[in-house]
Every structure is written in C-alpha cells, then in structure tokens.
Amino acid sequence: MTTGPDAPPLPADLPARVVAFAARLRAAHGFLIGPGEVTDALRALGAVDVLRLREVRDALRLVLTASPAQAPVFDAEFEAFFRPRTGPPPPELPPLLPQTEAPPPPQKVSGEAGEPRPVPGESRAEDSPEEGEDQPLQGRTPPRETEGEPDDPADPPRLLQARLSPHAGEGGRVEAGGDDLPELLRAAGALVRAVELGRARRRVPMLRGTRLDARRTLRASARTAGDPARLRWLGRPRRAPRFLIVLDGSRSMGRGATLLLRFAHALHLRARRVEVYAFSTALTRLTPTLRGAPPGEALRLPDLGDAWGGGTRIGESLLRLARDERARVTRDTVVLILSDGLDTGDPEVLARALRDLGHRAGLLAWLSPLAATPGYQPVQRAVQAALPHLDAFLPAASVGDLHALARSLRGRW
Amino acid sequence: MSQPSEPSAAAPSPMPAPDPLREAFRERGYVAGDALATALRLVVALGKPLLLEGPAGVGKTEAAKTLAAALGTRLIRLQCYEGLDAQAALYEWNYARQLLHLRAAEAGGRPVTDDDLYGPEFLMRRPLLEAISQPTPPVLLIDEVDRADDAFEAFLLELLAEWQVTVPELGTISATARPHVILTSNRARELSDALRRRCLYLWVDYPSRTQELEIVRARLPGISEALAAQVTRAVHALRELPLGKPPGVAETLDWAAALVALHRDHLDEEALRVTLGAVLKLREDQTLARATLERLARG
C-alpha cells in the first residue's frame, strides 16, 4: 500500500483524498470497501458540510465501516489522513489512540462504561498492523513455554506445580500446528451430531414432513394435468446448535491450549455457528481469526496480548463473556469452557458467571486437560466453585478425550 | 463508535450549524448526538438503509420513530423474530375472502377468473410490501434484525438492493417511493457482511452524562433539576458496575418518571428502595448495586 500518511503528497482535492483513504482502509486493514462504497462516500460528502471535519468524519465512518471493531481503526486513520499537518495541533488524536492501544491495567473491561462492545480479536490485529501479519510468524516473544514442550501426554501434572502464575505473561503470536486435523474433525463432527436440540419453529420444504405444502403441491400438479400425484411436505428442521467456546490461553495450560484451539477450529469447520473466545488475563474474541484460517494449515493467531500465555482470571473473563454474549446464549447454545481451572481469582465471581451462562445455555460443559490425569481430584478452587453449575466436567488432554466427548455428552440436553 | 458522540458532550462544541432534522428531533424530545444526526441526514439524502447497532435501550428504535415523526411520514415497523419468513414479512392472500368470493360468484352463476381471485382486494400487505407501496417515502423500521435467521437476512438483501418484490400471482411490484430504512440490531447474532455493506453503519452507545441529562430534561420537562442530575449520575455509576443487564436510556427515563410520579424531588434511600425495579431488572444486579446506590443516595 503506497498511500499511507507518509506516502507521497496526496492530491489536494477532497474526492481524490477520499478515494485514496478508502483504498488505504481496504489494503492496510482489510475493510470491505468496493467501488460502490467509494461512490457512496463521495455522495455522502455532498450531503454534509465539508468544511466541518467532524461531519466529514462521521459521514465517511457511516459509509466505510461495518462493525464496531473497525471504528477505532477508522478514526486513527482518519486523523492521520485528514488532519491538517500545519496549523493548530490535532486536539482529538490523543483521546482516540489510547482506546485502541493502551490496555487498561486490570483488563479490557472498559465495556462496562463507555464502550460496551466486545473487543474482537480482529481489532487488536488491525490496531497494530505493522507488527501483524506481514512478519514471519515464528518470531514469538521468548518465554512462550507452551510450545517448546515435548508432545508428552503426561505433561499436565508437572504443569500443575510449575506454571501457575497469577501474573500476566507476554502474549506473542500463537502458532498451533499439528497433523491431527482429520481426527479433530471427526471428533468435532461427532460432537455436533450428538447435540440433540428440538425442532425449529420455521417450517421448510422437506421430503417427509408434518404438514402438506399446498402451494408446492398445487404447482407440481401442473405437470400431471392438475392431478396432485406427488404430495409435497413442510416440516420443522432440526435446530442447529450454536457453540460458544471459551479457551483458557494461560501459561498453565501449556500444550493443552493449542490442542484445544485446534479442536475449536475443527468445530468451527463442522458447525455453522461457532463463537470462540480466548482468555488469560483478558478476553479476546477469536472467531474472526478462525474464520479466515485455511483448514489444514497451522493455525496462526495474531498477538493476543493479555488473552494468551499469561496468568489466569477465569472468573472475571467469564463474567465479561457472560455479559457480552448475554443476548446470544440461548437454549440452542452449547457452552464449552476449556480450562485447567488453575486460577487465583475470586471463586464467587466465577460461580456468578457460570450461573448466568448455565441458566441461559442448553448445555454448559467444562473440559479440563488436568482431569485426564489418573487419580485427578477436582480440588482447584475455581473448579470447586464451578462444579455445581456445570452439566458436565470432562477430561480433554488428548485427541482421544475429544473423541469421547460426543459419547459423554449425548443425551445431556 | 462511541467516540463521535463523546466529544460533543464532553466539550460542548460551539453551536452546530443549524440542522433542521436535528432540531426536529429535539422538539420531539430526542437528543441526537452528532454522529446519529449525520447518519439520519444521510439516510434521507443518500437513500441508503442505516444499520444501528448497540446495547439495548440506547434509543435505536426510538430514532426511527422520531425520524418518521420529524419527516411527517408513516412509520412501518417490521419486528423480526426467529422463524420470520418472507411470507410473513411481505404479503399473504386472504384465503377466507377468496373462498367467499368464489362461493358468491358460483351461486350467482358468474364465471370466476384468476384475475378476480388474485386482485389487490384479497392481498394482505405485510410491512415490507406496505412500505414499498406508499405514495410518499415512509420510514421502514426493521427492528432487531439479528433475531431473524440467515435465510430472512438473505431475502432482505434482495429487497434492499432492488426495491422490488415478486408476488407470483401479480408479478413484480416495484417501490413507488423508496422508504427510509432503519435496521436495528442488539448483536444477538453476527450479521452478514453482505447486509452490512448495503447499509450505512452506526454503533450507538450509551450517551455521555451531559447528553443523558439533556435527554431526561427533554423527555420529562417537569422534573426538578436536582433529581434529573442525581438520576443521571446514579445511572452512570451503575453502568460502571459489572451488571448483567446495565440500564439503558429507557431505564433512566423510566426511573426518573417513576420518581416524578411518586412526587420525589431527590433520590434518598427510601425513594431508591421503592423504585429500584425501574432501573435494575435482575435481582442479582440489584444486590450487586445496592452499596453503590446507597452511597449515591446519601450524597
């Protein structure tokens, strides 16, 4: 992309700058902007007072953005692009940037007050494009213990003692490779099939159904001289489950986290509606990243910052999730929490979050890599607090465990 | 997308250029922020649908209603729900009337043709067909579009792009006047990129304190200044808490109205106790917020 803020001087006239600006948003940040949007942007300028920068910004934002995550990126780019470099210093640049870059000390729970939207993974990726996709992904920040580990299934017990740290660690980019995709897909497929929800309310044409589809039957009878030789039916299709996966990316999860991440990806490929979040000390939505990930290749996640590889704040992260996803968690939702339960937070907060999720979801299951250890006892405080609210607490340390999920969960909803 | 509204409230800008639409909104008790005012202006100027997203209770639906009132045109509302299909949103034939007509014709010995049976008098217009058949552009509110399923969303795409629908028995009906369309979403489901691209997009956030105070004053002209300020301050403090269901502007107004109806001129602990249900609708939230509210009530 050549038209960045430091690129050769732009033509002074506004339409040309808007075109260049749209191109910049598209090329550098992946905004879905086509010629139609550009035309609309130019038309929009005709409807506002172009001498008022704020109106121009509002109008362009309306046309060129399509989700809350894009707004901060747009604003920062707009400032760089349109704010005159000479004359008075830009008064509005400072308040915009901290919102996108500086993570507030505890975690990004700014949602409570001014900014109640979830902070999807893509926003972080977009905020720092220069350290994002362009670089080779192997350059992770040094102490990423999760991956240098041998593929030893007996790993988790050691992790229990060695890795619990309440402090946020470095995030770094995550690369979750593995040649187990076919098995994971099988496990995911079995899980999707095992979910037995009821029937949808909406009737659709089906080969066999419960109600005669008069309209289609009559239309078909035109071929048989008005004789309704073949009856057409309407029926209620099975409701498709929706999966909400919350992945513990904290350091203590070790290798387990990447396996479960790959499982989440496999599930994403098998079910139509899958929402994936990761948390460590903060919560990040991974769905957009997974959506763009090519199947069969190693999963590459952008730098997740506080959501990966740090300490654990299960309770607060789940509470945040329960709030962000509140409207979307219904009886059709299967909530899978993938975590070892090693947490230093307040169990009461966790219990509250799980109570909330459990009341709304069709099924609330906790999958723990530790639970696969022989002789494991769920003694962790977080797990103790969680157990009363869960429909199932199951092991998930290996592909075999994931295969067994469907069997264990069948008939629980 | 909260930024656009914030600066205007935090640092009251010099009088904005007179914007008739915004003024019309204000007259009707709706205080629109800069970004929303621009958005509504563009809906009218560009003829593009506007997708309003944001938490519940920030006035998305109200914006559409007020737009209709301000433009002096009809509001046609389609409330979306799971299982809503094109049929329910577009048209239905009045089978009972058709049958009666058929019987009457047969009894009278008159032959009945298709044209008789599928005439406009038997066509029951549902909101979408109604909206494109108006002589003057109405405001079409497609409310909570995130509740409808993917299939319906795909159907909407066609309508929003072509402004025409096909009724098999009547043929294609094109819009006589393009409605001003406002879609709202609470993000119960992720909407498709295709739908987003066809719309102008605005994230509507909770208003700033100054703005909310202004809204309370505009909607409840009789309210005492102190009470309005106290209620607004309390609601903003509540939104800082990790509530399950943070209060929207609608709750602020309900609360203020409840206090006015009870002849309270300030928020004390007693007033709080009896009106808490107007602002916090979950028992857990009420418990969680009690300490904060009592602190606020004490001053």
Side-chain angles (χ1 to χ4, degrees), chain A residues 267-280:
Chain A
L267 204 53
H268 176 78
L269 294 171
R270 277 288 171 264
R272 221 154 47 90
R273 291 188 292 168
V274 177
E275 198 70 53
V276 184
Y277 284 82
F279 71 86
S280 160

Side-chain angles (χ1 to χ4, degrees), chain B residues 187-199:
Chain B
R187 308 200 82 196
R189 179 173 65 83
E190 202 55 50
L191 300 174
S192 71
D193 286 340
L195 183 69
R196 288 176 184 278
R197 287 188 72 178
R198 278 179 181 65
C199 302

Side-chain angles (χ1 to χ4, degrees), chain B residues 19-99:
Chain B
D19 174 357
L21 196 59
R22 194 169 178 162
E23 289 312 307
F25 265 65
R26 195 173 288 270
E27 279 165 25
R28 287 163 179 81
Y30 193 105
V31 183
D34 283 345
L36 183 59
T38 306
L40 294 167
R41 208 158 77 213
L42 289 187
V43 167
V44 178
L46 302 189
K48 281 199 81 158
L50 168 67
L51 171 60
L52 293 178
E53 260 192 334
V58 290
K60 302 187 291 292
T61 303
E62 204 58 34
K65 289 184 187 168
T66 314
L67 180 65
L71 296 176
T73 180
R74 242 186 100 182
L75 174 79
I76 297 174
R77 175 175 181 165
L78 174 69
Q79 172 67 47
C80 297
Y81 54 86
E82 193 199 333
L84 173 67
D85 57 8
Q87 204 74 36
L90 266 180
Y91 71 96
E92 189 58 272
W93 289 105
N94 191 338
Y95 296 118
R97 260 189 93 181
Q98 280 175 323
L99 208 61

Side-chain angles (χ1 to χ4, degrees), chain A residues 313-333:
Chain A
R313 284 212 188 100
I314 303 184
E316 287 159 51
S317 299
L318 286 183
L319 196 61
R320 172 88 205 275
L321 178 87
R323 285 193 49 192
D324 285 354
E325 286 279 314
R326 188 177 177 83
R328 293 182 250 195
V329 175
T330 63
R331 305 311 294 174
D332 290 357
T333 310

Side-chain angles (χ1 to χ4, degrees), chain B residues 6-295:
Chain B
E6 301 287 9
S8 68
S13 52
M15 275 309 286
D19 174 357
L21 196 59
R22 194 169 178 162
E23 289 312 307
F25 265 65
R26 195 173 288 270
E27 279 165 25
R28 287 163 179 81
Y30 193 105
V31 183
D34 283 345
L36 183 59
T38 306
L40 294 167
R41 208 158 77 213
L42 289 187
V43 167
V44 178
L46 302 189
K48 281 199 81 158
L50 168 67
L51 171 60
L52 293 178
E53 260 192 334
V58 290
K60 302 187 291 292
T61 303
E62 204 58 34
K65 289 184 187 168
T66 314
L67 180 65
L71 296 176
T73 180
R74 242 186 100 182
L75 174 79
I76 297 174
R77 175 175 181 165
L78 174 69
Q79 172 67 47
C80 297
Y81 54 86
E82 193 199 333
L84 173 67
D85 57 8
Q87 204 74 36
L90 266 180
Y91 71 96
E92 189 58 272
W93 289 105
N94 191 338
Y95 296 118
R97 260 189 93 181
Q98 280 175 323
L99 208 61
L100 277 175
H101 181 76
L102 207 59
R103 288 277 167 82
E106 275 177 2
R110 282 179 281 120
V112 179
T113 64
D114 263 10
D115 289 348
D116 295 331
L117 269 192
Y118 292 107
E121 67 270 32
F122 300 114
L123 187 68
M124 294 194 290
R125 296 169 197 278
R126 303 291 187 216
L128 294 184
L129 186 56
E130 184 77 9
I132 64 168
S133 333
Q134 299 294 313
T136 53
V139 172
L140 170 62
L141 166 63
I142 302 179
D143 214 4
E144 303 193 332
V145 66
D146 49 333
R147 288 185 187 271
D149 38 34
D150 301 345
F152 185 75
E153 196 184 311
F155 158 76
L156 269 187
L157 290 182
E158 189 192 344
L159 180 82
L160 295 182
E162 307 296 332
W163 295 109
Q164 62 180 33
V165 294
T166 305
V167 177
E169 296 84 356
L170 294 183
T172 301
I173 303 175
S174 301
T176 43
R178 269 191 187 191
H180 309 298
V181 184
I182 294 187
L183 301 103
T184 74
S185 159
N186 292 331
R187 308 200 82 196
R189 179 173 65 83
E190 202 55 50
L191 300 174
S192 71
D193 286 340
L195 183 69
R196 288 176 184 278
R197 287 188 72 178
R198 278 179 181 65
C199 302
L200 302 172
Y201 175 79
L202 183 66
W203 174 272
V204 190
D205 219 329
Y206 296 116
S208 67
R209 231 167 94 179
T210 334
Q211 246 178 337
E212 194 152 8
L213 186 60
E214 214 177 325
I215 294 170
V216 172
R217 285 201 207 111
R219 294 300 283 267
L220 301 164
I223 194 168
S224 85
E225 193 59 31
L227 182 61
Q230 231 176 348
V231 165
T232 318
R233 192 157 60 93
V235 167
H236 275 256
L238 287 176
R239 289 193 195 128
E240 299 286 333
L241 299 174
L243 299 177
K245 193 180 177 317
V249 180
E251 273 77 26
T252 314
L253 291 171
D254 280 353
W255 196 19
L259 290 163
V260 169
L262 295 173
H263 306 292
R264 305 279 175 169
D265 56 2
H266 69 284
L267 195 58
D268 54 21
E269 288 185 34
E270 167 66 10
L272 196 63
R273 193 177 55 76
V274 293
T275 56
L276 192 55
V279 65
L280 293 177
K281 313 284 174 78
L282 292 175
R283 205 175 134 221
E284 284 199 330
D285 285 354
Q286 293 190 349
T287 321
L288 186 82
R290 199 164 291 273
T292 310
L293 284 170
E294 279 168 6
R295 183 168 46 77

